[in-house]
Amino acid sequence: MLQQTGQGVRFQRRRCRYGGCLLFIYIKTGVYAQYQVGMVTLLIILLMLLEWPPFQRRFVWVADTGLDARRGVSLANSGTSLIVGAENWQEGCEIIPKGLWYRALPDGVWRESEVGNLLCIEDRDTAALANIPALGVSPDLPGRVYALTSHKGILVSTNGGATFQAHPAPYPDFQENNLPFILSVGTGPQPDLWVGTQGAGLWRVTEQRWERMDGKGEQGCQGLPSVTVRSLLASDARVLIGTDQQGLWLSEDHGQTCQRVLDDAGRFEITRIVELEAPTHQRYLVAVRNRQVDNLGNDPAWSLRDLCPRPESCAQRPW
């Protein structure tokens, strides 16, 4: 009975928080008229409140693989492996694991990535490990993985995430409220890396330096004002920049010039961009949140926008 009830609650635990799960347990166990069931229920509730296995909270759920990534927030496929990055919330730099795992495809086992001391934030009152908010890969470079960190720049792996080294470009001194959290990787043998920050705009990372691309006139992407970045998609010489109520912007020349291609009115927070026709670059889906929903609720707060609603017209009017 304990096993059956535990399996049922574990299934539901992935889909709801404490209140809903407790209601489920109450309904589930109400079928039985035995005193032992009440004790089992109390035990399960205690396990859930303490977040002991199998009821711990997970950001990235990788079922039945042996990976315990309780605070995983990013996932990538390099073509040769799967990689998971996580938040590191405990103090100290000697903590294991350090927040990066990899699994060789098709049927390897999960292992911790070797990062040495690269994630250690030492210039604090108490040392700690940097978070891994985003991972990036390039289709032209199988096995190459880029890990964006919160405080230590970008780490690079050339073996599918088994080991990482520091990216050669010097890392800017971002403040705590302006940390990077979005990464998109271009194509080619030395792809541009595009990074969005929480409050310090848009950056392009080359082998030599980090360059701020918004609000800088001729020194950045011409035409692009200072923006709050919410999504990025890079490919070839093109990059799409989704913002918070400042439109969707396009550059087709590696960030030399930018033009707004969607949402002139500044209604949307553009949270995700997906390319549907990679060879032609003429059809995209964007997930948006309407920040200016009217009082009657005629426009839903969240929606999915097709930037080319009629496929036959893509060549003439891609936006």
Side-chain angles (χ1 to χ4, degrees), residues 141-198:
L141 301 168
R144 179 78 62 90
V145 183
Y146 298 92
L148 178 67
T149 75
S150 57
H151 294 77
K152 303 293 287 186
I154 295 174
L155 307 183
V156 185
S157 173
T158 57
N159 52 14
T163 59
F164 281 88
Q165 299 81 38
H167 190 277
Y171 185 55
D173 185 18
F174 289 114
Q175 301 299 315
E176 285 292 329
N177 60 342
N178 292 330
L179 297 176
F181 73 107
I182 299 174
L183 173 67
S184 186
V185 180
T187 54
Q190 291 187 330
D192 289 337
L193 309 179
W194 293 85
V195 175
T197 65
Q198 295 173 343

Side-chain angles (χ1 to χ4, degrees), residues 112-130:
E112 293 178 32
S113 301
E114 295 182 14
V115 297
N117 207 38
L118 294 175
L119 292 175
C120 184
I121 309 170
E122 298 176 338
D123 54 348
R124 283 183 168 183
D125 294 338
T126 303
L129 295 176

